[in-house]
Amino acid sequence: MKHTKIIDLLTGKNLLHEVKAKGWVKTFRNNQFIALNDGSTIKNIQCVLDLDKFPADLLKKIHTGAALSITGTLVESQGAGQNIEIQVSKLKVYGEANPEEYPIQPKKHSLEFLRENAHLRIRTNMFGAIMRVRSTLSFAVHKYFQENGFFYFNAPIITGSDAEGAGEMFRVTNLDLNNLPKDEQGNIDYSQDFFGKTTNLTVSGQLEAETYAMALGSVYTFGPTFRAENSNTSRHLAEFWMIEPEVAFIKLDEDMDLAEDFIKNVISYTLDKCQDDLLFLEQRLKEEEKSKPQAERSEMSLLEKLKFVVENNFKRVSYTEAIEILKNSKPNKNKKFKYPINEWGVDLQSEHERFLVEKHFKCPVILFDYPADIKAFYMRLNEDGKTVRAMDVLFPGIGEIVGGSEREERYDVLLDKIQKMGIDEKELSWYLDTRKFGTAPHSGFGLGFERLVLFVTGMSNIRDVIPYPRTPNNAEF
């Protein structure tokens, strides 16, 4: 008999029929009641054993974590806590889990302990919920773009250019590190490397995506990116996934429209499809909040925050207006901000972004027209010569979640910016070509996928929303 997923068994459609379920033991009580879970849902199905039917040596093999196959009759439960259960007639143990060795026992584990056991933490209710939400969000991303005329573009992971101009990239080489070839000046001779030049893991697929938008109109990337930033914080990863749409013939206003519609759509889809997991994560967050000082507790529950984004129009505010609001705010005047706002031109911090969203406007905010000096070279310069057509989407509890811009489509202006920033124009000759041959207005944005998963799940550490986090001094598993 083919086994049925537990999420389908719990609908009760096969009541009074013989069914087969396969999964892992969550708990085993009184040598009679097995809570079985197969990952298809956060909910377990209770499996009830008739002790006279099963030998004691078989029951001794059943512990938390053991993998089982169970056959029996699906019936309405007579006990409290569940509506459906299986009256077991056959039982097979695929794999035991010695309770003296198996680390994921039915008790509360610290997040740090679970990170150390990242290969097993998915067995917990919390990480099962997080990863199902992550999967649903991933599908929602593709669904949105495919239904709105975008083509999926696979940007290269190995690149010879630095999209951000920050230089914090991982080098790719197959040179013998114990016997590096040198040129006449004594420098490493990368002409003998695999690609004949220095190459790195990409920090962004944006530049390549722009070239495809100039022929296909609307494209998006969704893939892994890498940054060698030695930042050991709860908000940074060395390996992460980026969503980057690029669209020809649109300017910044339409780019902001796209970002708002996209985010609302994927969160709304996930709210609909992951109700049980989100309710569990909301309850987890409520328990976590109890341990915080009153002043640090969130004013909104997890589901309230998600609906706050979906149901509110995003307020659009220029950087200049935002600076004036922040300069005159009570936290700034009372020196409550860690980073005081004293002048125009400073880069905003998370505390400033959250104040604008949570305290001042009380809705998601899109800031636009940032100082050129704090933004990337590819953003379109405004007529004032000091700001660029950049935009950031700000969310409650997290601050910036999306960064985007209208791209600089004018060849002379882009070339001048590249030269002033000291970027080798030969490396970007292919990128400049798109401004020489059929240039057109175009815009796009980038959204760090883990940042989105962090917001939707209510987790506080980005290492807990990716299966195997890569951080400084940590590349386990």
Side-chain angles (χ1 to χ4, degrees), residues 167-365:
E168 296 170 328
M169 304 179 77
F170 288 103
R171 183 65 49 83
V172 175
T173 181
N174 77 332
L175 293 175
D176 181 354
L177 300 183
N178 294 313
N179 187 26
L180 292 170
K182 302 291 181 69
D183 59 20
E184 293 179 356
Q185 288 74 41
N187 300 316
I188 298 172
D189 185 3
Y190 284 103
S191 67
Q192 297 187 44
D193 207 347
F194 186 88
F195 294 105
K197 59 181 290 189
T198 58
T199 52
N200 308 286
L201 295 179
T202 186
V203 298
S204 168
Q206 177 203 312
L207 302 190
E208 292 88 351
E210 284 186 56
T211 68
Y212 266 61
M214 288 295 99
L216 296 178
S218 300
V219 302
Y220 71 103
T221 76
F222 186 7
T225 49
F226 308 84
R227 183 164 291 168
E229 183 178 0
N230 191 17
S231 186
N232 217 344
T233 77
S234 62
R235 293 165 62 89
H236 291 88
L237 291 167
E239 176 186 82
F240 51 99
W241 287 65
M242 283 292 291
I243 302 159
E244 297 172 299
E246 287 292 327
V247 187
F249 308 113
I250 71 167
K251 296 192 174 183
L252 188 65
D253 285 345
E254 292 170 278
D255 196 31
M256 290 190 280
D257 292 341
L258 175 65
E260 180 173 348
D261 189 58
F262 166 72
I263 292 174
K264 286 182 174 180
N265 188 283
V266 297
I267 291 178
S268 181
Y269 181 86
T270 307
L271 275 167
D272 181 55
K273 298 295 182 182
C274 295
Q275 293 178 27
D276 290 337
D277 288 318
L278 290 173
L279 283 170
F280 171 84
L281 291 168
E282 178 176 66
Q283 189 58 43
R284 186 209 72 84
L285 187 58
K286 284 180 181 177
E287 293 299 316
E288 187 181 78
E289 291 274 296
K290 290 178 182 178
S291 64
K292 296 180 180 178
Q294 188 68 39
E296 295 180 16
R297 294 180 188 177
S298 175
E299 295 179 6
M300 290 183 281
S301 71
L302 177 59
L303 291 176
E304 285 172 342
K305 259 198 308 188
L306 300 181
K307 291 174 182 176
F308 176 83
V309 168
V310 171
E311 295 171 0
N312 279 292
N313 292 326
F314 293 11
K315 178 72 175 177
R316 300 184 183 186
V317 184
S318 72
Y319 168 90
T320 300
E321 182 183 348
I323 286 293
E324 287 303 309
I325 291 169
L326 290 165
K327 278 174 67 176
N328 296 312
S329 68
K330 284 185 179 180
N332 198 57
K333 288 181 176 179
N334 296 333
K335 299 182 179 180
K336 297 292 185 182
F337 283 144
K338 183 178 179 182
Y339 300 95
I341 299 292
N342 298 316
E343 60 185 11
W344 188 93
V346 297
D347 206 353
L348 299 184
Q349 303 297 318
S350 179
E351 61 178 345
H352 309 132
E353 296 165 342
R354 290 186 60 184
F355 173 83
L356 293 169
V357 173
E358 298 168 26
K359 303 298 183 183
H360 189 81
F361 290 108
K362 299 188 187 312
C363 66
V365 173

Side-chain angles (χ1 to χ4, degrees), residues 15-28:
L15 275 178
L16 304 180
H17 286 75
E18 187 178 60
V19 297
K20 179 180 285 188
K22 296 181 179 181
W24 295 269
V25 176
K26 286 289 186 178
T27 60
F28 184 34

Side-chain angles (χ1 to χ4, degrees), residues 210-211 214 429-440:
E210 284 186 56
T211 68
M214 288 295 99
S429 60
W430 57 273
Y431 185 67
L432 285 162
D433 275 352
T434 61
R435 274 66 173 175
K436 290 166 63 178
F437 310 125
T439 190

Side-chain angles (χ1 to χ4, degrees), residues 380-397:
R380 195 183 203 279
L381 191 66
N382 281 317
E383 298 306 315
D384 61 14
K386 66 175 186 176
T387 61
V388 289
R389 299 294 283 160
M391 66 93 175
D392 288 339
V393 180
L394 314 180
F395 270 15

